[in-house]
DNA sequence: TTGAAAGCGTTACCAT
DNA sequence: ATGGTAACGCTTTCAA
């Protein structure tokens, strides 16, 4: 049998209420009885039962992080940043991978009365009405870019990709590049694409020469083989580009591989940039110049927003800045 | 206010007990009342409260997977295989990253009365007594290799690295290699190292020529930079090896990079093999020949063992076979 | 400063 | 076939 609060009370010679007061120090307690209770707790190795506790407090102190695909190295540090901040406030956080239908997770979140959810998965994996159901059921939600949602209902952390794309093009421009391709991988079904908008703006601002945007298959392409395939496609269309910006580091890796196989050296013959700064970017050959997302920071900001929402009720918004990290996949044009 | 079972009962004109019977179809119910209840549930959008349910059934239907490091691509498919099997049986599974102290998670598992835990993290991240505490508290545990534990208390899924290492050496042997280095990365504190044992056995069996084992720093080295560093060390010691086996694909990646930077081509000048078959292994340049772990399968077997333990009480054991996947990082010796 | 007792939303035993 | 109700382990109001 499980040792309960009643056992502790009996051993300490106090009431069950007193045990609660001591454990939650929710009320002044005589130092003497306090000690007796604590000793009894120690002796019986008593652990409060969160299930029973949740039932009465209406707080589970449990949070969930929902990611697309646990394999994606981009998420690792975001989750870490979130969890570290959450643990500090006493929350238990668990990660859910969106391999199966994410909507089903939502049902579970409601049944289990989670206090809050951080959803990193893209909109393609679930239905927005289901997300609102969570909110209606009192579960606070913070989302991460990529999802159009009512900011009065859910909080949001976003990355400033538009500015970052401007910086990326600027970096290549300063190296003398004028003919730049953008391997986007996004398809037309994406309504609002800040990276694409940023690229188009930059094309005008810097008065670039030849430019092209390579789209992917619906709903979107974003993995190593996608980068490989789109880079091959680029070469088959036109070889005049001296630099390529890729949607993310994964695609940059694939693109570099494609260029190498076609006899182009990176960066001597063609410069390649990525986005995100996933752990492998630094170890790739050549190490990839990228627009880094401060990932752990983004995660901790997400928790902050969620916490405010849980405690005060209001949603919030945070825009994350990216940083250029120069490595070896970009160099002076035509050198 | 949350709609409860009482609301449903009132609307359907039955008792709360009847609602339970219908929802859990734990008892014969007149088709007529059944319909009335179901209609009421629908109308009120009633969702059973797992918290309250758990309190009385002593089952939370919640499982946890504990991994070292969520970023490690090796774990992705293992977790997937486990979760898919678990979802089928109605469990909610959440993943915990072992960034912080894993022992603290264990405390939480007890408080939250999880039904079971799949622990993939290595022993260095927690204390074995704490793991046994879980078992004492009635939480079933299945572990994944690397951990010496009492198999009467916890179940275990393991990879047959000894046989796999034999196959790896055999593959190189068949390609004509006789001088083979093993970049182990493990340190002396590891008591039982099946890969190392397998290598030593194979050295004798195949009567190899020059061989060497490169250890890492305590507790162990297993990442890309570790592979890079150890490969550099190998070159500084002796250049007579025509093939290198690495602890895992990550280290193989680092090693390949080191060789390239030192003017050695892979596989023309030196063959390199890894273990695991992580997603990137196929995309690396060159694609890496590796001993693949059937990961998703391993995960589903872990759940099977856990399920048996939860339902019948007995622990179990499963040994997973690895498969050689030939890619481009190994080739005929001296060609 | 401490205790008694009323819930929290279920399930399951015991009646009917 | 259905309903009443104790029990699960905890918190918190109200009294003392």
């Amino acid at each position: 049998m499980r040792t309960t609060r009643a056992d502790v009370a009996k051993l300490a010679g106090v009431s069950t209420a007193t045990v609660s007061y001591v454990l939650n120090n929710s009320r002044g307690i005589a130092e003497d009885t306090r000690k007796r209770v604590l000793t009894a707790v120690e002796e019986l190795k008593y652990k409060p039962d969160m299930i029973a506790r949740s039932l009465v407090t209406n707080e589970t102190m449990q949070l969930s992080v929902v990611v697309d695909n646990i394999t994606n190295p981009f998420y690792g540090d975001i989750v870490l940043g979130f969890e570290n901040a959450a643990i500090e406030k006493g929350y238990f956080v668990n990660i859910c991978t969106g391999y199966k239908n994410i909507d089903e997770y939502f049902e579970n979140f409601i049944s289990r009365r989670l206090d809050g959810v951080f959803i990193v998965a893209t909109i393609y994996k679930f239905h927005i009405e289901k997300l609102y159901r969570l909110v209606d059921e009192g579960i606070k939600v913070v989302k991460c870019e990529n999802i159009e949602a009512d900011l009065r209902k859910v909080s949001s952390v976003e990355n400033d990709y538009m500015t970052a794309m401007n910086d990326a093009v600027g970096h290549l421009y300063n190296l003398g590049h004028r003919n730049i391709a953008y391997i986007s991988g996004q398809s037309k079904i994406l309504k609002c694409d800040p990276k694409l908008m940023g690229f188009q703006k930059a094309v005008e601002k810097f008065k670039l020469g030849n430019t092209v945007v390579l789209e992917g298959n619906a709903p979107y392409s974003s993995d190593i083989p996608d980068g490989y395939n789109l880079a091959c496609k680029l070469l088959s269309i036109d070889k005049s580009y001296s630099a390529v910006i890729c949607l993310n580091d994964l695609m940059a890796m694939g693109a570099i591989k494609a260029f190498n196989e076609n006899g182009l050296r990176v960066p001597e013959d063609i410069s390649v940039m990525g986005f995100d700064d996933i752990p492998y970017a630094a170890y790739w050959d050549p190490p990839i110049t990228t627009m880094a997302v401060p990932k752990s920071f983004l995660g901790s900001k997400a928790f902050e927003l969620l916490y405010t929402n849980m405690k005060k009720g209001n949603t919030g918004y945070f825009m994350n800045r990216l940083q250029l990290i120069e490595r070896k996949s970009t160099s002076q044009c035509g050198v």
Side-chain angles (χ1 to χ4, degrees), chain A residues 127-308:
Chain A
H127 297 287
I128 192 80
E129 320 92 67
K130 299 279 186 181
L131 188 67
Y132 290 150
R133 267 298 310 277
L134 289 185
V135 179
D136 293 341
E137 293 285 345
I139 298 178
K140 305 307 181 186
V141 174
V142 55
K143 73 176 182 76
C144 179
E145 59 189 28
N146 258 339
I147 303 168
E148 286 179 72
D150 188 341
L151 289 184
R152 287 165 305 186
K153 294 188 174 185
V154 307
S155 301
S156 182
V157 290
E158 320 235 339
N159 291 307
D160 189 356
Y161 288 127
M162 225 162 86
T163 304
M165 185 57 91
N166 176 77
D167 297 348
V169 173
H171 167 66
L172 293 172
Y173 184 88
N174 291 337
L175 289 172
H177 296 280
R178 295 295 179 271
N179 301 325
I180 302 177
Y182 173 38
I183 294 189
S184 158
Q186 304 289 39
S187 68
K188 289 246 193 293
I189 70 168
L190 195 70
K191 288 171 201 150
C192 165
D193 182 347
K195 281 182 192 166
L196 179 60
M197 286 168 56
F199 184 73
Q200 290 164 337
K201 261 191 161 174
V203 166
E204 290 184 27
K205 173 178 163 190
F206 291 101
K207 303 194 198 313
L208 297 185
N210 271 354
T211 63
V212 63
V213 175
L214 281 99
E215 289 174 4
N217 298 321
Y220 61 94
S221 310
S222 64
D223 220 329
I224 294 185
D226 298 320
Y228 179 87
N229 293 332
L230 287 174
C232 289
K233 192 170 162 192
L234 178 67
L235 291 177
S236 73
I237 296 172
D238 185 338
K239 295 190 199 273
S240 71
Y241 302 99
S242 66
V244 174
I245 297 175
C246 296
L247 178 80
N248 61 23
D249 295 332
L250 253 20
M251 291 185 90
M253 292 174 182
I256 289 173
K257 195 181 170 204
F259 293 142
N260 286 337
E261 287 185 7
N262 282 275
L264 292 172
R265 291 163 306 162
V266 177
E268 294 83 351
D269 302 320
I270 189 164
S271 285
V272 177
M273 283 190 74
F275 271 78
D276 296 349
D277 191 32
I278 60 175
Y280 298 101
Y283 298 124
W284 202 259
D285 192 18
I288 298 172
T289 296
T290 191
M291 296 302 304
V293 173
K295 293 176 279 295
S296 175
F297 185 66
L298 186 71
S300 70
K301 279 293 176 186
F303 174 75
E304 248 174 56
L305 254 25
L306 193 60
Y307 191 69
T308 305

